[in-house]
């Protein structure tokens, strides 16, 4: 059998925050204003975000029974892509708490809002994709001896082109003892199976998008005679050898039902 899957998802979101100007509160005993109770200047921050997620997947399955043998094979390929875009605007020093759009804030460059990623009035876009090839083989003899083998090969755009590939195999073997001939007279056991497995998994999300690029930030970088001036700088170092997070697991167990 041949199976296919296609999924396209769009997500839009908006967040808005306005920190209002609060005048200082007078001291209850002296009547003097307490500067520590004031909040100034007022500030508005607004984010617009959209995300596009695309998933394409196709698999081919084949199975056959011959005598006491049963075998099934599956091969497949998938392609996943993700595009995220964000716009951030923000200003400080609005004339009052009723004017809350960005154009009503101060035009002084020092009153442009900022967050952990830099100054406002900016937009950014991040993209990543992953292409995967995978396969699975299942084999059973007389429903007593069971074997499963899996392999997955992933290529992720989060890593440099010559370091993108990663292979993740896994294996599982089982012996259903309750189906053996010497267990025919043991009526109080419905199922007894001994199993063992080993496998590996990978995680690409531990590495930031663009980690292998020398990313440059731009914005107000320095002051020249009291006036903010544009500049460019490397915000953080990169490590092209920061690759897949890999986890290896082993398991041995017994399944028993009576």
């Amino acid at each position: 059998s041949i199976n296919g899957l296609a999924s396209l998802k769009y997500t839009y979101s908006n967040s808005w925050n306005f920190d209002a100007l609060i005048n200082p509160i007078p001291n209850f005993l002296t009547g003097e204003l307490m500067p520590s109770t004031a909040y100034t200047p007022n500030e508005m921050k607004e984010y617009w975000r959209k995300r596009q997620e695309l998933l394409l997947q196709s698999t081919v399955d084949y199975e056959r029974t011959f005598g006491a043998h049963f075998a099934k094979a599956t091969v497949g390929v998938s392609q996943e892509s993700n595009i995220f875009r964000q716009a951030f605007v923000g200003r400080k020093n609005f004339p009052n708490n009723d004017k809350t759009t960005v154009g009503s804030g101060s035009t002084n460059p020092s009153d442009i809002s900022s967050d952990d990623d830099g100054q406002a009035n900016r937009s950014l876009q991040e993209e990543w994709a992953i292409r995967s090839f995978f396969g699975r083989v299942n084999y059973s003899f007389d429903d007593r001896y069971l074997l499963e083998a899996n392999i997955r090969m992933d290529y992720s755009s989060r890593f440099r082109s010559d370091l993108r590939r990663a292979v993740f195999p896994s294996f599982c073997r089982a012996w259903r003892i309750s189906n053996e001939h010497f267990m025919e007279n043991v009526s109080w056991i419905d199922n007894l199976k001994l199993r063992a497995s080993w496998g590996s998994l990978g995680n690409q999300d531990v590495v930031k998008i663009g980690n292998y690029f020398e990313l440059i930030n731009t914005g107000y970088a320095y002051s020249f005679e009291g006036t903010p001036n544009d500049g460019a700088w490397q915000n953080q170092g990169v490590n092209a050898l920061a690759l897949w997070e890999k986890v290896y697991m082993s398991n041995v167990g017994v399944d028993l039902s009576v």
Side-chain angles (χ1 to χ4, degrees):
S1 63
I2 300 176
N3 304 286
L5 170 67
S7 172
L8 179 61
K9 180 180 178 182
Y10 285 96
T11 305
Y12 295 89
S13 66
N14 168 254
S15 62
W16 176 86
N17 181 71
F18 188 87
D19 293 324
L21 174 69
I22 301 177
N23 295 320
I25 300 173
N27 186 290
F28 179 75
L29 298 176
T30 65
E32 296 180 355
L33 297 178
M34 298 183 292
S36 61
T37 62
Y39 184 89
T40 184
N42 49 16
E43 181 179 14
M44 186 278 294
K45 292 182 178 181
E46 186 167 11
Y47 293 88
W48 293 86
R49 304 178 180 91
K50 67 177 181 179
R51 186 182 298 275
Q52 174 188 296
E53 300 171 88
L54 174 64
L55 173 63
L56 301 173
Q57 181 173 292
S58 177
T59 59
V60 177
D61 298 308
Y62 176 80
E63 63 179 64
R64 184 179 178 184
T65 300
F66 42 101
H69 303 273
F70 170 81
K72 180 179 180 181
T74 300
V75 294
V77 59
S78 69
Q79 172 80 21
E80 183 179 358
S81 63
N82 192 298
I83 302 174
F84 172 74
R85 189 172 181 88
Q86 174 182 273
F88 170 40
V89 296
R91 290 280 183 174
K92 301 177 183 177
N93 273 322
F94 290 77
N96 56 55
N97 292 332
D98 296 321
K99 293 182 177 293
T100 60
T101 59
V102 66
S104 302
S106 169
T107 59
N108 191 318
S110 63
D111 285 328
I112 297 177
S113 300
S114 62
D115 60 10
D116 293 339
D117 295 322
Q119 288 186 315
N121 305 330
R122 71 169 193 267
S123 62
L124 64 86
Q125 181 166 306
E126 294 180 340
E127 301 182 27
W128 62 265
I130 181 171
R131 180 173 297 167
S132 304
F133 303 90
F134 50 89
R136 174 186 297 124
V137 174
N138 296 91
Y139 171 77
S140 169
F141 174 72
D142 200 25
D143 201 26
R144 289 182 290 163
Y145 309 111
L146 313 173
L147 172 66
E148 179 178 303
N150 299 273
I151 189 167
R152 182 182 181 96
M153 182 183 299
D154 292 320
Y155 294 82
S156 172
S157 67
R158 289 179 183 259
F159 312 113
R160 205 171 64 192
S161 58
D162 58 329
L163 299 171
R164 288 178 177 171
R165 186 180 69 177
V167 179
F168 305 101
S170 64
F171 308 93
C172 179
R173 297 181 63 181
W175 177 25
R176 184 168 282 117
I177 304 174
S178 54
N179 284 1
E180 292 289 353
H181 299 300
F182 59 79
M183 296 289 292
E184 291 178 353
N185 296 324
V186 185
S187 58
W188 59 276
I189 294 181
D190 292 329
N191 180 58
L192 175 61
K193 182 168 68 175
L194 178 66
R195 52 182 170 79
S197 63
W198 177 91
S200 62
L201 295 173
N203 178 21
Q204 65 166 348
D205 295 336
V206 294
V207 177
K208 295 182 64 175
I209 297 173
N211 178 64
Y212 58 94
F213 285 116
E214 302 289 342
L215 298 178
I216 302 297
N217 278 17
T218 59
Y220 294 113
Y222 63 97
S223 175
F224 183 73
E225 294 183 351
T227 302
N229 286 267
D230 285 340
W233 66 94
Q234 183 176 342
N235 189 45
Q236 59 185 13
V238 299
N239 180 10
L241 297 181
L243 301 175
W244 292 86
E245 177 187 35
K246 295 184 178 181
V247 178
Y248 299 92
M249 297 172 291
S250 300
N251 179 270
V252 176
V254 175
D255 297 334
L256 173 64
S257 61
V258 296

